[in-house]
Amino acid sequence: MLFLLNCPELEIYNSLFTPKYGKWALGFCGGLYEKDNPGGSHESDHLLQSVTSLDLSSRSIHNLITKAFSPSELPILSFLNLRGNPLNENSSGELLKYLKGFNNLTALEVDIPGPLGDNAVNIIEALPTLSLLNGLSTSKILESEKSIVDSRLKPRIPELNAGESLADRVISAMWLYLMTYRLADEEKIDETSVCYVMDELGSALRHSDEANFRVSPFLYMPDGKLESAVSYSILWPTKNVQRGDECTRDYLFGIGEDRQRSARLTAWFHTPQNYFIKEYEKYSMKLQSKKFSPPPVMPCVTNSLLHNNESVLHVYTDIPQVEELLTRPEFVITTEPKHAEIVWTSVQVDEEMKKEVGLNDQQYINQFPFEACLVMKHHLAETIRKAHGAPKWLQPTYNLETHLTQLIGDYYTRERDGVDNLWILKPWNMARTIDTTVTQSLSAIIRLMETGPKNMSEVRLANNSYSLEKHSFFEYETHFTVMNYRGRLNHMHTAEFVKEFEQEHQVQWMDIHLRIKQMIRSVFEAAAAVHPEMHSPMSRAMYGVDVMLDCHYQPKLLEITYCPDCTRACKYDTEAVTRGGGIVKGSDFYNYVFGCLFLNETTHVSFKLSIVWTSLLSIIKQLADRMD
């Protein structure tokens, strides 16, 4: 500090600009001066007017708006690098307005988020002469609405937390090095996610947006079994590589901003947390401001399909339980779908299938048009958010293909506030927990996207005590409740469960039961409001609703499934816990279902809703029946 006081004309000190910087300092950075040509007072005052490129990066500049740095002094400046400067004596608005005066400025390097703002699009719109921002085409940035354009990010390195086991450390660090792909079977139903680590050379390749090498896996499976496969990594150059050049690869090759490239880089680099937190807060406020208006209540007009001159309804089904247990005289099973009044099937019925098997528009089918808004996980969350915003019964839910930025902001917010950051990743198009992952690692959440998009109430309990200890995540009988797939089966009937639950937790099950029913009603009201195109008078269907209770016994919606597996409902007799109790025989399950949906009966139906879809009424009644 004393040195600067004794040298009041000093413009650069230890490579940093002093508050006295002026034309000489700018000329030095513009290439006008060097060691052998330091310049001096005899130099022309107008030398800056020849400068076209100016690198001012990391010069500790606090004030950019000076007499020396001005459009009149730098009239043909076309490239400017301002990275690494605080510029805290100027507002972003002042800086953008000032830079707009440089009419020939076509390329700009700047920290984003940074002194010029948090949004690349806003910077480009304020500086219309720019064609390149941080080395990327401004037209492409505008097309993709890219917000973060900053490739100079600090890389993540494995963190060693005190008390963490070696295994946990390896699992946390591996997402920085893993390569991934998927293996599909011949029918492309069940797929296998494959992760592998390249050798020392491949793992040493650093990321570059302008990479000079590509990497692809090669898998040799002579006997067709993954466990005996030999995996290779193939590298080849994508441009001319000179001796001494660093070999790099693009960690996100083929992934542009239309697929959230900038946000995905968070898996390997420390991206600006403030940007993501702000985006999450805006998104959260938008959801919280939603006000739902339920569909108008309509009189119930669902009638029995049987008329005076008809004695039976012909049913075609490919579900063995329906074929075996639908024993009511009003229904007769037929093997010809084109001869049936009712088609109850587990497969998708589309126009192509209708044409192939001879179905017509006068047949009742157990599917609704556009029902994907309920039965596909990402569409279900979107439907609920559009109607209700963020209801308490829907856990924070993100579609990683479209809302990764908001999830990262939520993650950083929870991390900042010391809130639990354990996330469940579920495929939207799979069942039986295939490809489901539980993790606290943000890098793992992002990297797992690479292997593709991830899909009477029956009480299911895990065999072991619930635990959030990391070692327990791999224990099937601790975190999975569907024990009929493997292992021993502990089954508890509904009435027995309710009795023990009430005693253990000192609660009334009926209060919980009513909250669950109200939640289900809200879900289907949301579908009715957001997707009125689902209305179909020729549709009757049954859906399974997966519900979880939190520590306050409030219901949380997990998912809704089409044509649920009703094996247990048909297998076990149970004692109803509502509407006076009584034994409900499992063998009569489909008799009750078809009586409700097609004969307008209310036996063992606990409540009745009248909403804008008269045909959707039957769905909700039957859902309630499953909880009875």
Side-chain angles (χ1 to χ4, degrees), residues 11 16-23 25-26 54 56 59-70 74 80 82 84-92 94-96 98-99 102 115-116:
E11 296 189 22
L16 305 179
F17 280 18
T18 72
K20 295 289 186 179
Y21 84 89
K23 294 180 182 179
L26 294 174
L54 191 57
L56 301 180
R59 293 291 183 178
S60 190
I61 301 173
H62 295 267
N63 178 23
L64 189 66
I65 303 175
T66 64
K67 183 177 179 180
F69 183 81
S70 66
L74 296 157
L80 176 63
L82 293 174
N85 293 293
L87 303 179
N88 54 339
E89 296 181 14
N90 311 120
S91 69
S92 59
E94 289 174 335
L95 289 170
L96 290 172
Y98 195 67
L99 291 175
F102 291 81
L116 268 65

Side-chain angles (χ1 to χ4, degrees), residues 274-287 406 409-410 413 416:
N274 287 341
Y275 166 76
F276 290 105
I277 290 175
K278 287 181 181 178
E279 291 298 306
Y280 161 69
E281 289 174 345
K282 288 191 296 185
Y283 176 72
S284 181
M285 288 180 61
K286 181 179 179 181
L287 292 181
Q406 290 75 14
D410 193 347
T413 300
R416 178 196 66 192

Side-chain angles (χ1 to χ4, degrees), residues 77-261:
L77 182 67
S78 60
F79 171 81
L80 176 63
N81 188 342
L82 293 174
R83 287 182 178 274
N85 293 293
L87 303 179
N88 54 339
E89 296 181 14
N90 311 120
S91 69
S92 59
E94 289 174 335
L95 289 170
L96 290 172
K97 184 177 180 180
Y98 195 67
L99 291 175
K100 188 176 182 180
F102 291 81
N103 297 326
N104 291 294
L105 186 62
T106 58
L108 177 65
E109 292 277 335
V110 64
D111 298 322
I112 304 176
L116 268 65
D118 296 341
N119 193 303
V121 173
N122 293 343
I123 296 173
I124 294 171
E125 291 176 344
L127 304 175
T129 61
L130 288 184
S131 58
L132 291 175
L133 178 60
N134 291 1
L136 298 179
S137 167
T138 55
S139 60
K140 291 185 178 179
I141 296 173
L142 291 174
E143 289 174 6
S144 63
E145 298 183 352
K146 187 174 187 178
S147 296
I148 299 178
V149 189
D150 203 335
S151 59
R152 299 188 182 183
L153 300 169
K154 293 183 179 179
R156 294 184 182 273
I157 58 175
E159 298 178 358
L160 303 180
N161 300 318
E164 193 174 31
S165 69
L166 178 61
D168 287 338
R169 291 179 179 180
V170 171
I171 291 173
S172 297
M174 71 180 186
W175 297 105
L176 303 176
Y177 305 99
L178 285 180
M179 303 285 282
T180 61
Y181 58 92
R182 287 185 80 84
L183 288 177
D185 63 14
E186 292 182 358
E187 297 180 356
K188 297 190 176 181
I189 297 176
D190 286 353
E191 298 184 342
T192 303
S193 298
V194 178
C195 299
Y196 68 101
V197 179
M198 293 186 289
D199 60 15
E200 293 87 346
L201 171 62
S203 297
L205 295 178
R206 295 198 297 179
H207 169 76
S208 172
D209 290 336
E210 303 293 334
N212 51 21
F213 273 84
R214 278 191 62 184
V215 179
S216 288
F218 176 80
L219 192 66
Y220 177 60
M221 293 192 298
D223 59 358
K225 295 181 180 180
L226 182 61
E227 54 268 23
S228 62
V230 179
S231 179
Y232 302 90
S233 298
I234 302 176
L235 290 77
W236 69 95
T238 57
K239 57 178 66 175
N240 290 331
V241 181
Q242 304 298 322
R243 185 179 181 87
D245 289 350
E246 179 183 3
C247 299
T248 59
R249 68 181 179 91
D250 186 347
Y251 290 176
L252 294 171
F253 179 77
I255 296 178
E257 280 309 311
D258 58 330
R259 296 176 59 192
Q260 308 177 103
R261 179 183 176 87

Side-chain angles (χ1 to χ4, degrees), residues 487-510:
R488 57 194 175 95
L489 172 64
N490 291 345
H491 181 78
M492 183 180 291
H493 291 284
T494 302
E496 181 185 0
F497 162 78
V498 169
K499 181 179 179 180
E500 293 194 15
F501 191 90
E502 290 182 334
Q503 291 177 349
E504 179 178 350
H505 299 284
Q506 295 299 302
V507 295
Q508 293 295 316
W509 179 257
M510 185 53 64

Side-chain angles (χ1 to χ4, degrees), residues 292-308:
F292 179 65
S293 298
V297 176
M298 303 284 289
C300 177
V301 295
T302 303
N303 298 315
S304 170
L305 301 190
L306 280 178
H307 302 295
N308 294 331

Side-chain angles (χ1 to χ4, degrees), residues 3-74:
F3 184 82
L4 292 178
L5 291 174
N6 292 326
C7 301
E9 301 302 319
L10 195 65
E11 296 189 22
I12 299 179
Y13 177 63
N14 285 346
S15 299
L16 305 179
F17 280 18
T18 72
K20 295 289 186 179
Y21 84 89
K23 294 180 182 179
W24 184 88
L26 294 174
F28 179 83
C29 293
L32 297 180
Y33 313 118
E34 54 187 18
K35 180 180 179 180
D36 298 329
N37 178 30
S41 58
H42 65 279
E43 298 288 347
S44 168
D45 289 339
H46 303 293
L47 283 178
L48 287 179
Q49 295 192 359
S50 64
V51 172
T52 60
S53 178
L54 191 57
D55 185 356
L56 301 180
S57 60
S58 302
R59 293 291 183 178
S60 190
I61 301 173
H62 295 267
N63 178 23
L64 189 66
I65 303 175
T66 64
K67 183 177 179 180
F69 183 81
S70 66
S72 59
E73 293 292 338
L74 296 157

